[in-house]
């Protein structure tokens, strides 16, 4: 099985409720095979201010061929003005898991 199209997308959101809404929407629309939600603490600069806040990171397992559609859906559902949306390819993976993932996100 080729892994060239599969990847993970990282997205931070400000609340657990928002994280759950986004994760459910992505799984239901087959844009994600699975979405993990992790509590995180972020420190960053925004509009000249140093910010420090708790948030939630979504680890989205997906087909990167669908990245443009996924990005559009994330921008629609996300409350931040400029959401973090970062995609990385999967370079290696356990074959049975990768097969399961492929089955979840196929059209």
């Amino acid at each position: 099985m080729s892994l060239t199209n599969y990847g993970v997308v990282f997205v931070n959101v400000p609340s657990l409720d928002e994280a759950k809404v986004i994760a459910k929407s992505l799984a239901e629309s087959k844009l994600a095979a699975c979405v993990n939600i992790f509590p995180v603490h972020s420190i960053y600069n925004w509009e000249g201010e140093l910010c420090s806040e708790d948030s939630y990171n979504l680890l989205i397992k997906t087909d990167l061929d669908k990245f443009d559609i996924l990005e559009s859906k994330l921008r629609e559902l996300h409350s931040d003005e400029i959401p973090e949306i970062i995609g990385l390819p999967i370079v290696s993976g356990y074959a049975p898991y990768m097969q399961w993932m492929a089955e979840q996100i196929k059209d």
Side-chain angles (χ1 to χ4, degrees):
M1 168 189 296
S2 170
L3 299 178
T4 57
N5 298 333
Y6 300 110
V8 293
V9 175
F10 294 93
V11 177
N12 277 3
V13 296
S15 74
L16 182 57
D17 288 341
E18 185 171 333
K20 289 178 179 180
V21 166
I22 291 172
K24 184 177 179 184
S25 176
L26 296 179
E28 287 177 341
S29 63
K30 296 198 174 279
L31 289 172
C34 177
V35 180
N36 301 117
I37 301 171
F38 300 95
V40 297
H41 187 82
S42 299
I43 299 172
Y44 58 95
N45 289 296
W46 180 252
E47 297 181 341
E49 297 290 324
L50 184 62
C51 301
S52 177
E53 60 187 25
D54 292 327
S55 59
Y56 291 86
N57 180 262
L58 304 178
L59 175 62
I60 304 162
K61 287 87 162 213
T62 191
D63 179 345
L64 292 177
D65 285 343
K66 297 182 178 187
F67 186 86
D68 290 344
I69 299 165
L70 176 66
E71 178 187 299
S72 179
K73 186 65 148 177
L74 288 166
R75 288 192 341 258
E76 171 190 323
L77 297 171
H78 204 291
S79 63
D80 285 351
E81 181 181 341
I82 303 175
E84 169 191 17
I85 305 172
I86 299 171
L88 301 171
I90 295 173
V91 297
S92 186
Y94 178 55
Y97 180 82
M98 299 308 297
Q99 181 63 42
W100 171 84
M101 189 171 130
E103 292 167 4
Q104 304 315 304
I105 53 182
K106 68 182 177 186
D107 294 326

